[in-house]
Amino acid sequence: MEPNPYPAWLSQVREITQTPATRQAFEALKNAATPDELAIAAQKATAAVLADIAAEMAPLGSQANMPGFSNTPQPTLLEQLGFTQVSPMNGGVYHVRSNPTNGTAPVEYIALLYSPVPITPATERLQLFTQRVPDPLPIDVSPLQIQTHWHSLDARRLEESGLEPITVDLPAGAQLDTLQVIEYARPGEAGRIRYCVQLPTGDVVCYN
């Protein structure tokens, strides 16, 4: 194997890392001696840096125009699909847990309900994008940090990411012509807004 090529630029990258775990991950990457060690160390270092970035961006993810959500007693679309909400919704992004009925262990996901176009009374279906939360999680990565990262993404990019969405039928007879638009400030550059609506079921849907 040729000498590990990473140390030449690692010193520059490590200056921007924030946590001991991230610095440790880069140290392991620098010292990797075999292809297998290098692959594992690179994966851990990438996860650690993403966690640092997400943690830094989290305070920027506040709502730009956040009307109060209604607390409806009706079952939500997510619940009807077999998910239970684990933590508060953040910028249109959910942290949910599957609720299996076949005896298998529950699995946690980051999830986002999406409509390619604004919802109208003619809308029949939505898309639900999900990403399984790794178990075990990489060093210094939390579900909240993954959720925050999804909040920073342009929702339409999920269509281009290769994630296979679940098709979700809207409830029959739902009043969709009076939905109030919710604006979330996405983390990062100023002016990056995510547009959402809250359905009569209580579910929040992002759209282009």
Side-chain angles (χ1 to χ4, degrees), residues 24-82:
Q24 182 180 2
F26 272 101
E27 195 68 26
L29 182 60
K30 181 182 71 172
N31 296 327
T34 68
D36 287 344
E37 289 179 0
L38 190 58
I40 294 172
Q43 184 179 17
K44 291 182 177 180
T46 300
V49 170
L50 288 175
D52 277 356
I53 293 172
E56 183 176 353
M57 292 166 65
L60 303 175
S62 59
Q63 291 87 354
N65 177 25
M66 179 63 183
F69 287 145
S70 62
N71 293 318
T72 165
Q74 302 175 17
T76 68
L77 294 179
L78 291 172
E79 288 173 347
Q80 293 173 14
L81 292 168

Side-chain angles (χ1 to χ4, degrees), residues 45 59 104:
T104 59

Side-chain angles (χ1 to χ4, degrees), residues 76-84 98-99 113 128 166-169 203:
T76 68
L77 294 179
L78 291 172
E79 288 173 347
Q80 293 173 14
L81 292 168
F83 295 107
T84 55
S98 65
N99 189 20
L113 280 165
L128 175 65
I166 301 170
T167 299
V168 183
D169 292 328
D203 301 273

Side-chain angles (χ1 to χ4, degrees), residues 180-192:
Q180 184 174 7
V181 176
I182 303 164
E183 297 181 0
Y184 286 103
R186 289 193 286 132
E189 300 174 8
R192 299 172 73 239

Side-chain angles (χ1 to χ4, degrees), residues 27-205:
E27 195 68 26
L29 182 60
K30 181 182 71 172
N31 296 327
T34 68
D36 287 344
E37 289 179 0
L38 190 58
I40 294 172
Q43 184 179 17
K44 291 182 177 180
T46 300
V49 170
L50 288 175
D52 277 356
I53 293 172
E56 183 176 353
M57 292 166 65
L60 303 175
S62 59
Q63 291 87 354
N65 177 25
M66 179 63 183
F69 287 145
S70 62
N71 293 318
T72 165
Q74 302 175 17
T76 68
L77 294 179
L78 291 172
E79 288 173 347
Q80 293 173 14
L81 292 168
F83 295 107
T84 55
Q85 192 168 337
V86 175
S87 58
M89 184 270 301
N90 175 19
V93 183
Y94 289 90
H95 176 199
V96 298
R97 179 185 296 116
S98 65
N99 189 20
T101 58
N102 58 359
T104 59
V107 177
E108 294 188 4
Y109 297 89
I110 303 302
L112 181 146
L113 280 165
Y114 174 71
S115 175
V117 295
I119 295 175
T120 70
T123 303
E124 296 181 354
R125 296 178 180 85
L126 306 172
Q127 295 175 323
L128 175 65
F129 287 94
T130 62
Q131 180 182 25
R132 183 169 179 166
V133 175
D135 184 19
L137 283 165
I139 299 173
D140 274 11
V141 176
S142 69
L144 176 59
Q145 289 168 331
I146 303 174
Q147 189 179 10
T148 301
H149 175 64
W150 271 50
H151 176 28
S152 72
L153 299 174
D154 187 331
R156 63 183 173 179
R157 300 302 179 205
L158 294 173
E159 289 186 299
E160 306 166 0
S161 68
L163 289 176
E164 290 292 336
I166 301 170
T167 299
V168 183
D169 292 328
L170 281 170
Q175 297 295 316
L176 302 177
D177 52 352
T178 59
L179 299 178
Q180 184 174 7
V181 176
I182 303 164
E183 297 181 0
Y184 286 103
R186 289 193 286 132
E189 300 174 8
R192 299 172 73 239
I193 302 297
R194 167 168 288 168
Y195 297 96
C196 306
V197 291
Q198 185 178 31
L199 301 178
T201 58
D203 301 273
V204 174
V205 179

